[in-house]
Amino acid sequence: MGVKIVAMGSYIPENILTNADLEKIVETSDSWIVERTGIRERHIASPEDATSDLAYRAAVKALQKAELEPEQIDVILVATACPDYLFPATACIVQAHLGAKRSACFDIEAACPGFIYALEIARGLLSIPNYRNILVIGAETLSRITDYTDRNTCVLFGDGAGAAVVTKDNSDSDILSSYLKGNGEVHKLLMLPAGGSRKPASFETVRDRDHYLKMQGREVFKHAVNGMQDAAQKVLERAGFRSEDIDWLVPHQANIRIIEATREKLGIQPNKVYVNIDRMGNTSAASIPIALSEMEDKGLLKRGQLVLIVSFGAGFIYGAMLLRW
Ligand code: ACO
């Protein structure tokens, strides 16, 4: 059985938050943000939009490209750390908007590597006869859980969504190898402390700003570089390729210095790395599908190319996949 990524789509909110805008909100500077992160601007969802709205628009584009009707979708998977609600799943709201009446739908909370985790789940589901077409979406409205009084985090994050239509046929698979890993020992380094069962919403949690993302940036940085290198090497080994065989490295867009350090450790040429962090910031689970969708629209991805996607995020968790485009 061959698992195929037949179409990609993305949705980027129009509203832009620049470094100059942030200079007016917290004590920071354009030069600090660009030098330490590579980010110049990020997109922010309209107040009336939730994660499902962004996900829906990305899904519509992917379905149009795949020339599929919503009724032909068997499963909708939404990878997100910013669901519309704690429950029901954001995927159910996307299903309702699309009118994808036949589909099963559920969310995957796997932070930034969520899209890679969702692709792996889709691959597993496609081995079951009942399923043929799966919509895999990474969508985030991180601006809703970002503390715009905390300069350590508020410069990093943006909103957006990317979607892939994944299907199966009798040809070779587009997914050559994959690797997923977790390290829950350090889960407190990056988290949203309140609103779940550990710390339900209360006067104190609101007062203490515990409904916003908290991060120990320097520690995250170290884990990110090591984890991304490890995951990337594992998928290369598993598929029998070397880093010089890669046509494109599409890393999670968290920080240009993390991307650069990972690229260097892997020994991949700079012109083979796709970077859009300057325009998008960190869009978590949406980052890789947005990048792939942009690359496809720009004609950068050619049939047969080897594409290495790799990501890390809160948990900590890591993931990589080697794709034959
Ligand atoms: N503007 C100006 N100064 C700042 C800012 C800012 N926006 N943010 C922090 N600083 C200051 C700090 O207060 C500190 O000052 P001090 O030395 O007086 O204490 C100084 O800059 C250095 O701070 P560091 O945190 O050591 O800076 P660092 O070089 O590590 O960069 C950064 C910080 C950009 C957050 C970096 O650590 C990083 O990118 N980490 C990884 C973040 C990441 O990728 N997170 C993924 C989350 S994905 C997910 O799962 C949702």
Side-chain angles (χ1 to χ4, degrees):
M1 180 196 76
V3 173
K4 298 283 170 197
I5 300 173
V6 291
M8 301 288 314
S10 62
Y11 172 75
I12 313 297
E14 277 175 27
N15 185 20
I16 290 175
L17 182 69
T18 65
N19 290 350
D21 295 329
L22 285 165
E23 283 175 357
K24 293 175 199 145
I25 305 172
V26 287
E27 197 182 327
T28 190
S29 66
D30 175 57
S31 58
W32 192 97
I33 302 171
V34 172
E35 190 188 311
R36 298 295 182 109
T37 72
I39 302 168
R40 293 180 186 278
E41 59 187 38
R42 60 295 283 146
H43 293 253
I44 304 294
S46 307
E48 64 274 17
D49 280 343
T51 296
S52 65
D53 298 299
L54 278 56
Y56 163 76
R57 289 175 204 137
V60 166
K61 286 189 196 159
L63 285 173
Q64 279 168 354
K65 281 196 199 159
E67 297 180 2
L68 282 181
E69 296 301 324
E71 291 81 3
Q72 292 174 276
I73 294 296
D74 300 302
V75 186
I76 300 173
L77 304 180
V78 175
T80 185
C82 313
D84 287 23
Y85 310 105
L86 268 181
F87 68 89
T90 302
C92 299
I93 301 155
V94 175
Q95 182 208 26
H97 284 187
L98 285 172
K101 294 197 170 68
R102 285 182 47 244
S103 73
C105 30
F106 60 100
D107 287 359
I108 292 141
E109 204 298 88
C112 302
F115 181 75
I116 297 178
Y117 275 64
L119 267 185
E120 185 71 326
I121 292 165
R123 175 158 78 147
L125 287 171
L126 287 173
S127 68
I128 301 168
N130 310 10
Y131 304 117
R132 171 154 294 277
N133 299 311
I134 300 187
L135 198 47
V136 179
I137 306 172
E140 304 282 13
T141 46
L142 288 156
S143 61
R144 305 286 156 77
I145 56 164
T146 295
D147 185 350
Y148 287 98
T149 66
D150 175 12
R151 68 176 182 172
N152 291 293
T153 53
C154 75
V155 301
L156 300 173
F157 300 105
D159 301 338
V165 174
V166 185
T167 186
K168 64 182 169 190
D169 64 16
N170 293 324
S171 61
D172 292 336
S173 189
D174 286 354
I175 301 173
L176 303 184
S177 61
S178 68
Y179 177 75
L180 305 178
K181 167 102 189 330
N183 176 14
E185 296 289 321
V186 286
H187 66 272
K188 288 193 175 158
L189 293 177
L190 174 55
M191 69 188 321
L192 197 150
S197 60
R198 178 74 56 193
K199 220 185 208 196
S202 66
F203 170 80
E204 286 77 17
T205 61
V206 173
R207 182 196 61 201
D208 297 342
R209 308 184 78 75
D210 278 345
H211 294 274
Y212 292 117
L213 175 157
K214 312 279 181 206
M215 179 180 72
Q216 293 181 36
R218 209 175 274 181
E219 285 305 308
V220 176
F221 196 105
K222 282 186 243 159
H223 282 274
V225 174
N226 293 335
M228 281 173 63
Q229 180 196 7
D230 180 42
Q233 277 169 343
K234 289 278 191 328
V235 293
L236 286 169
E237 277 162 28
R238 284 180 177 183
F241 286 98
R242 292 169 307 168
S243 55
E244 50 269 41
D245 300 322
I246 295 302
D247 293 294
W248 285 108
L249 172 66
V250 184
H252 171 46
Q253 310 283 314
N255 181 314
I256 192 66
R257 293 185 294 140
I258 294 174
I259 294 173
E260 261 304 298
T262 306
R263 180 196 69 72
E264 263 181 35
K265 281 177 178 249
L266 293 171
I268 292 176
Q269 297 298 313
N271 63 347
K272 291 184 172 181
V273 183
Y274 190 73
V275 174
N276 65 9
I277 191 168
D278 51 325
R279 293 177 284 114
M280 298 292 165
N282 180 347
T283 57
S284 190
S287 122
I288 287 178
I290 289 173
L292 291 173
S293 175
E294 277 190 352
M295 292 172 79
E296 224 185 32
D297 290 349
K298 291 177 182 174
L300 294 174
L301 290 170
K302 311 268 187 284
R303 280 269 147 232
Q305 284 188 328
L306 270 185
V307 181
L308 173 53
I309 57 176
V310 59
S311 185
F312 78 97
F316 285 134
I317 49 173
Y318 313 92
M321 266 185 181
L322 190 62
L323 307 173
R324 176 74 74 189
W325 206 255

